[in-house]
Amino acid sequence: MRSLTFAVSISVCAVIAHSSPALAQEWGQDETVIVPRAVELDYDRGRNVSVTERPRPDYEPQGIRTGGFLVYPRIEAGLGYTDNAFRTETDEKSDGYASFSPSVMARSDWSRHAIQLGAGGRFRRYFDSTARNEDGFYVNGLGRADLGESLAITAEGRAGRIYESPFTAGTDAALVGISSYDYNLESLRAALTLNRNKISLGYSRSEYDFNRIDVGSSTFIDQSDRDRVIDSVVGQVEHAISPDTALFGQLSYAHTDYDRPLLTGAANRDSDGYRVLAGVHMDLSALLRGSIGVGYTWRSFDDPVYSDVDGFSAEATIEYFASALTTVSLGARRVLEDSNFATIGAYFDNRAIVRVDHELLQNLILDASASYARQNYIASARKNDVFQGSAGARYLMTRNLESRFDATYSNRKRGGPDYDGDLDEFRVAASMILKY
């Protein structure tokens, strides 16, 4: 189960999510909190186009025009197999499953201002392990008002349900395989551009409600002590030193408020956090683009049973354009996340990832990736080491039809006093996608 990303790093995660959709997917965003981007780190100057972004007019859906909007419906259906359906460390059970993912997105086609609306779901039905069935869904909306040539104000809202992954989290792997939560997120941000300078300010409110876990025999595990609300404010200043390079500085504050004490009756992890980050983002023609930010983070808990923490923090992503047909993406980050163990308040999540996307044919795109994570718990000898490797292929058949194949191996080793364990999973999936 991935715990919630430490709130003061919320907006910085957009470093990865904004510029490289492929790399963002590898970070596991479909299995963790979908965090609103309080402030964008927009380093794309239009000087490079990655393999995943390259226009392919003969294979792109045209959408359905409705007034000033284009509507894009999409349906994905497929079959999959896993050798560890419940993602347990012992008594692994293999199973197959069917998946169905409908979605629709509508966006305005205006010269100024913008509105975008979306909704969808991801439904999985396991052949034997029915307790692992998933009914994930999301709805979102975004509106941007362009006030003059220099000021833009954006409001965004999201809601939905997500099923958690043990390979991106720091909690009990024996429970996470069937854990889910509902989220409700709102954000408001403004960006003012003055010559070579850009000033951004954002506010976001994130609410999370964790569903109880059905472990069979009419037995349930209560997760209500994980429910929380996070309010965060982020300010950022950017200065362009050239047409392709800019320096930035960012300051974040977040308050985390849990809905109730722990189930044991002990105080929960209410806290205040700060983060300062500075760095550079660039878009160098025919070479690379990306952002590197380093800084420091502080976090203090309301109850003294939890140790306050501070330390080095960083976010980085680089896309290297090896050729017109190959894009290499590199990512690294060090952030604080909430723990879910006894009196441990938080842990540092350290991650690195490399991904390669290659256009073998105009309509056949291959990808491969590998990632490693080390999760160190504050004031504890507990730790996790997580490795994931994957390979996939995307075949564009027509502008309305494509197919997808993925194979993934994941391994997580737990270490520390009374905490040893080893969890792995091999998963393959194939699907067909109908789009318009």
Side-chain angles (χ1 to χ4, degrees):
M1 174 180 56
R2 173 181 281 186
S3 64
L4 303 180
T5 303
F6 178 36
V8 296
S9 67
I10 281 177
S11 66
V12 187
C13 290
V15 174
I16 296 168
H18 176 67
S19 69
S20 177
L23 189 57
Q25 182 180 4
E26 291 299 326
W27 284 119
Q29 289 187 315
D30 60 331
E31 292 182 303
T32 187
V33 175
I34 303 177
V35 180
R37 301 170 188 170
V39 171
E40 298 277 6
L41 281 177
D42 186 2
Y43 52 79
D44 183 1
R45 305 289 199 274
R47 296 170 178 267
N48 294 287
V49 178
S50 69
V51 168
T52 57
E53 296 172 327
R54 178 170 299 117
R56 297 175 176 87
D58 293 338
Y59 301 100
E60 294 179 352
Q62 295 179 317
I64 302 170
R65 178 165 291 282
T66 304
F69 287 82
L70 285 170
V71 181
Y72 297 90
R74 184 178 187 272
I75 297 176
E76 180 173 1
L79 296 173
Y81 165 84
T82 172
D83 67 354
N84 191 355
F86 285 97
R87 291 170 166 173
T88 57
E89 296 179 347
T90 58
D91 300 324
E92 298 177 3
K93 180 181 179 180
S94 62
D95 202 357
Y97 61 88
S99 62
F100 179 65
S101 302
S103 64
V104 61
M105 188 266 287
R107 67 185 184 196
S108 61
D109 186 23
W110 308 331
S111 59
R112 289 175 56 81
H113 315 301
I115 294 177
Q116 182 170 304
L117 304 172
R122 186 177 71 175
F123 308 100
R124 284 179 178 171
R125 290 296 179 267
Y126 286 79
F127 299 153
D128 296 319
S129 310
T130 56
R132 277 286 285 127
N133 290 347
E134 299 181 7
D135 295 308
F137 66 91
Y138 70 89
V139 294
N140 57 52
L142 180 149
R144 190 194 73 239
D146 299 321
L147 307 179
E149 299 297 326
S150 303
L151 179 62
I153 297 177
T154 303
E156 185 173 6
R158 303 183 186 185
R161 173 173 297 167
I162 284 182
Y163 290 77
E164 299 182 279
S165 167
F167 303 109
T168 51
T171 192
D172 190 349
L175 301 179
V176 69
I178 49 178
S179 174
S180 66
Y181 60 85
D182 298 329
Y183 64 90
N184 185 9
L185 315 175
E186 303 87 32
S187 69
L188 181 66
R189 55 186 179 266
L192 176 65
T193 303
L194 301 172
N195 298 321
R196 293 188 175 188
N197 301 305
K198 183 177 180 180
I199 302 171
S200 303
L201 181 64
Y203 165 78
S204 66
R205 181 179 179 86
S206 311
E207 302 177 43
Y208 305 98
D209 294 306
F210 287 80
N211 300 308
R212 64 180 185 173
I213 300 174
D214 184 356
V215 294
S217 302
S218 300
T219 303
F220 298 89
I221 297 176
D222 189 0
Q223 296 197 99
S224 61
D225 59 353
R226 298 181 64 199
D227 298 349
R228 73 200 77 172
V229 177
I230 302 174
D231 292 286
S232 65
V233 179
V234 183
Q236 180 176 289
V237 177
E238 303 173 50
H239 175 69
I241 59 176
S242 72
D244 52 25
T245 305
L247 305 177
F248 72 89
Q250 184 182 94
L251 177 63
S252 305
Y253 164 77
H255 176 71
T256 301
D257 183 20
Y258 282 81
D259 291 355
R260 54 157 296 165
L262 296 179
L263 296 176
T264 60
N268 217 321
R269 300 173 179 83
D270 296 355
S271 66
D272 293 284
Y274 301 85
R275 182 177 181 176
V276 60
L277 194 76
V280 58
H281 47 87
M282 66 204 81
D283 192 355
L284 308 179
S285 296
L287 181 61
L288 59 84
R289 70 181 176 188
S291 180
I292 299 174
V294 296
Y296 207 79
T297 183
W298 302 262
R299 192 173 190 184
S300 60
F301 293 90
D302 292 357
D303 195 282
V305 70
Y306 302 107
S307 300
D308 292 345
V309 59
D310 61 88
F312 170 76
S313 187
E315 295 275 356
T317 183
I318 297 292
E319 290 177 286
Y320 169 60
F321 302 95
S323 72
L325 301 178
T326 304
T327 303
V328 180
S329 302
L330 304 173
R333 70 184 184 188
R334 176 177 166 83
V335 296
L336 273 170
E337 299 201 22
D338 273 359
S339 168
N340 196 40
F341 288 117
T343 58
I344 301 174
Y347 65 90
F348 270 107
D349 187 82
N350 310 276
R351 292 182 179 269
I353 184 170
V354 58
R355 175 178 170 122
V356 179
D357 293 279
H358 177 69
E359 185 180 291
L360 186 64
L361 301 171
Q362 185 184 16
N363 62 335
L364 179 59
I365 299 94
L366 308 179
D367 63 78
S369 69
S371 66
Y372 169 76
R374 162 64 68 88
Q375 297 159 348
N376 295 112
Y377 289 86
I378 307 302
S380 171
R382 289 185 174 184
K383 64 180 181 180
N384 297 316
D385 291 287
V386 182
F387 169 80
Q388 290 186 285
S390 68
R394 180 184 173 210
Y395 179 52
L396 309 177
M397 304 166 71
T398 69
R399 69 170 65 252
N400 301 117
L401 189 65
E402 69 177 81
S403 59
R404 174 79 197 180
F405 173 81
D406 293 284
T408 304
Y409 172 75
S410 304
N411 176 267
R412 167 177 162 169
K413 289 183 171 62
R414 299 187 290 125
D418 301 318
Y419 187 61
D420 291 335
D422 195 342
L423 166 66
D424 61 8
E425 180 190 26
F426 175 71
R427 181 183 292 264
V428 294
S431 62
M432 296 293 293
I433 301 169
L434 178 64
K435 53 191 178 179
Y436 192 85

Short mmCIF file of all heavy atoms in Angstrom, two decimals, residues 2-6 9 32 168-170 299 333 335-339 345-349 351 375:
data_model
loop_
_atom_site.label_atom_id
_atom_site.label_comp_id
_atom_site.label_asym_id
_atom_site.label_seq_id
_atom_site.Cartn_x
_atom_site.Cartn_y
_atom_site.Cartn_z
N ARG A 2 0.67 2.07 -0.95
CA ARG A 2 1.42 3.33 -0.93
C ARG A 2 0.74 4.30 0.00
O ARG A 2 -0.44 4.54 -0.06
CB ARG A 2 1.46 3.93 -2.33
CG ARG A 2 2.08 5.32 -2.32
CD ARG A 2 2.11 5.94 -3.69
NE ARG A 2 3.20 5.43 -4.47
CZ ARG A 2 3.52 5.88 -5.66
NH1 ARG A 2 2.85 6.83 -6.20
NH2 ARG A 2 4.52 5.35 -6.33
N SER A 3 1.48 4.86 0.89
CA SER A 3 0.92 5.90 1.75
C SER A 3 0.90 7.20 0.99
O SER A 3 1.51 7.34 -0.06
CB SER A 3 1.74 6.03 3.03
OG SER A 3 3.04 6.46 2.72
N LEU A 4 0.21 8.16 1.53
CA LEU A 4 0.02 9.43 0.84
C LEU A 4 1.33 10.19 0.75
O LEU A 4 2.09 10.28 1.70
CB LEU A 4 -1.01 10.27 1.59
CG LEU A 4 -2.37 9.59 1.77
CD1 LEU A 4 -3.29 10.52 2.51
CD2 LEU A 4 -2.93 9.16 0.46
N THR A 5 1.60 10.76 -0.39
CA THR A 5 2.81 11.55 -0.58
C THR A 5 2.81 12.73 0.38
O THR A 5 1.81 13.40 0.55
CB THR A 5 2.87 12.09 -2.02
OG1 THR A 5 2.80 10.98 -2.90
CG2 THR A 5 4.14 12.87 -2.28
N PHE A 6 3.94 12.98 1.01
CA PHE A 6 4.04 14.08 1.97
C PHE A 6 3.59 15.37 1.31
O PHE A 6 4.04 15.74 0.23
CB PHE A 6 5.50 14.18 2.43
CG PHE A 6 5.76 15.31 3.38
CD1 PHE A 6 4.82 15.67 4.33
CD2 PHE A 6 6.96 16.00 3.33
CE1 PHE A 6 5.06 16.68 5.20
CE2 PHE A 6 7.21 17.02 4.21
CZ PHE A 6 6.27 17.37 5.14
N SER A 9 5.42 18.12 -0.69
CA SER A 9 6.04 17.81 -1.98
C SER A 9 5.01 17.62 -3.07
O SER A 9 5.33 17.19 -4.16
CB SER A 9 6.88 16.53 -1.86
OG SER A 9 6.03 15.42 -1.63
N THR A 32 -1.87 5.14 -6.81
CA THR A 32 -1.61 5.97 -5.64
C THR A 32 -2.47 7.22 -5.71
O THR A 32 -3.32 7.37 -6.56
CB THR A 32 -0.12 6.31 -5.54
OG1 THR A 32 0.10 6.98 -4.29
CG2 THR A 32 0.34 7.22 -6.66
N THR A 168 4.87 0.32 -4.02
CA THR A 168 5.17 1.75 -3.97
C THR A 168 4.84 2.33 -2.61
O THR A 168 4.68 3.53 -2.46
CB THR A 168 4.36 2.50 -5.05
OG1 THR A 168 2.99 2.13 -4.95
CG2 THR A 168 4.87 2.16 -6.42
N ALA A 169 4.73 1.46 -1.58
CA ALA A 169 4.29 1.95 -0.29
C ALA A 169 5.13 1.42 0.85
O ALA A 169 5.95 0.55 0.68
CB ALA A 169 2.84 1.55 -0.06
N GLY A 170 4.88 1.97 2.02
CA GLY A 170 5.66 1.59 3.18
C GLY A 170 4.84 1.04 4.31
O GLY A 170 5.19 1.24 5.47
N ARG A 299 9.39 18.69 9.12
CA ARG A 299 8.04 18.26 9.48
C ARG A 299 7.96 18.08 10.99
O ARG A 299 8.80 17.41 11.59
CB ARG A 299 7.70 16.95 8.80
CG ARG A 299 6.22 16.61 8.91
CD ARG A 299 5.90 15.39 8.07
NE ARG A 299 4.48 15.17 7.96
CZ ARG A 299 3.95 14.13 7.34
NH1 ARG A 299 4.73 13.23 6.77
NH2 ARG A 299 2.64 13.99 7.26
N ARG A 333 13.92 10.95 -6.97
CA ARG A 333 13.24 11.80 -6.00
C ARG A 333 13.51 11.31 -4.58
O ARG A 333 13.78 10.13 -4.35
CB ARG A 333 11.74 11.85 -6.26
CG ARG A 333 11.00 10.56 -5.95
CD ARG A 333 9.53 10.68 -6.33
NE ARG A 333 8.78 9.49 -5.97
CZ ARG A 333 7.52 9.27 -6.33
NH1 ARG A 333 6.90 10.16 -7.08
NH2 ARG A 333 6.90 8.19 -5.97
N VAL A 335 11.47 12.14 -1.02
CA VAL A 335 10.36 12.85 -0.40
C VAL A 335 9.96 12.15 0.89
O VAL A 335 10.30 10.99 1.13
CB VAL A 335 9.14 12.94 -1.35
CG1 VAL A 335 9.48 13.74 -2.59
CG2 VAL A 335 8.64 11.55 -1.73
N LEU A 336 9.22 12.86 1.72
CA LEU A 336 8.67 12.30 2.95
C LEU A 336 7.25 11.81 2.70
O LEU A 336 6.46 12.48 2.03
CB LEU A 336 8.65 13.36 4.05
CG LEU A 336 9.91 13.52 4.90
CD1 LEU A 336 9.78 14.77 5.77
CD2 LEU A 336 10.14 12.29 5.76
N GLU A 337 6.92 10.63 3.27
CA GLU A 337 5.58 10.10 3.18
C GLU A 337 5.11 9.64 4.56
O GLU A 337 5.92 9.31 5.43
CB GLU A 337 5.52 8.95 2.18
CG GLU A 337 5.90 9.36 0.76
CD GLU A 337 5.35 8.40 -0.27
OE1 GLU A 337 4.37 7.70 0.04
OE2 GLU A 337 5.89 8.36 -1.38
N ASP A 338 3.81 9.60 4.75
CA ASP A 338 3.24 9.16 6.02
C ASP A 338 3.49 7.67 6.24
O ASP A 338 3.28 6.86 5.34
CB ASP A 338 1.74 9.42 6.05
CG ASP A 338 1.42 10.81 6.54
OD1 ASP A 338 2.35 11.56 6.86
OD2 ASP A 338 0.23 11.16 6.58
N SER A 339 3.88 7.32 7.46
CA SER A 339 3.99 5.93 7.86
C SER A 339 2.64 5.43 8.34
O SER A 339 1.71 6.20 8.56
CB SER A 339 5.04 5.80 8.98
OG SER A 339 4.97 4.52 9.56
N GLY A 345 6.28 8.18 12.60
CA GLY A 345 5.47 9.20 11.95
C GLY A 345 5.59 9.23 10.45
O GLY A 345 4.61 9.45 9.74
N ALA A 346 6.81 9.02 9.92
CA ALA A 346 7.03 9.18 8.48
C ALA A 346 8.24 8.38 8.05
O ALA A 346 8.96 7.80 8.86
CB ALA A 346 7.22 10.66 8.15
N TYR A 347 8.45 8.33 6.75
CA TYR A 347 9.65 7.71 6.20
C TYR A 347 10.09 8.48 4.96
O TYR A 347 9.27 9.13 4.28
CB TYR A 347 9.42 6.24 5.86
CG TYR A 347 8.41 5.98 4.76
CD1 TYR A 347 8.79 5.89 3.43
CD2 TYR A 347 7.05 5.81 5.06
CE1 TYR A 347 7.87 5.63 2.42
CE2 TYR A 347 6.13 5.56 4.07
CZ TYR A 347 6.54 5.46 2.75
OH TYR A 347 5.62 5.22 1.76
N PHE A 348 11.38 8.42 4.67
CA PHE A 348 11.90 8.99 3.44
C PHE A 348 11.76 7.96 2.33
O PHE A 348 12.20 6.81 2.48
CB PHE A 348 13.36 9.40 3.59
CG PHE A 348 13.53 10.81 4.06
CD1 PHE A 348 13.96 11.07 5.36
CD2 PHE A 348 13.27 11.88 3.22
CE1 PHE A 348 14.12 12.37 5.81
CE2 PHE A 348 13.42 13.19 3.66
CZ PHE A 348 13.85 13.43 4.96
N ASP A 349 11.16 8.38 1.23
CA ASP A 349 11.04 7.53 0.05
C ASP A 349 12.06 7.99 -0.98
O ASP A 349 11.99 9.11 -1.50
CB ASP A 349 9.63 7.62 -0.52
CG ASP A 349 9.39 6.62 -1.63
OD1 ASP A 349 9.10 5.45 -1.31
OD2 ASP A 349 9.51 6.99 -2.81
N ARG A 351 13.81 7.19 -4.63
CA ARG A 351 13.52 6.43 -5.84
C ARG A 351 14.37 6.89 -7.02
O ARG A 351 14.71 8.06 -7.14
CB ARG A 351 12.04 6.57 -6.23
CG ARG A 351 11.11 5.90 -5.27
CD ARG A 351 9.64 6.00 -5.68
NE ARG A 351 8.86 5.29 -4.69
CZ ARG A 351 8.54 4.00 -4.77
NH1 ARG A 351 8.91 3.31 -5.83
NH2 ARG A 351 7.85 3.41 -3.81
N GLN A 375 13.07 2.76 1.14
CA GLN A 375 12.21 3.48 2.06
C GLN A 375 12.78 3.33 3.47
O GLN A 375 12.83 2.22 4.02
CB GLN A 375 10.78 2.94 1.98
CG GLN A 375 10.16 3.16 0.60
CD GLN A 375 9.00 2.23 0.31
OE1 GLN A 375 8.76 1.26 1.02
NE2 GLN A 375 8.27 2.52 -0.77
#
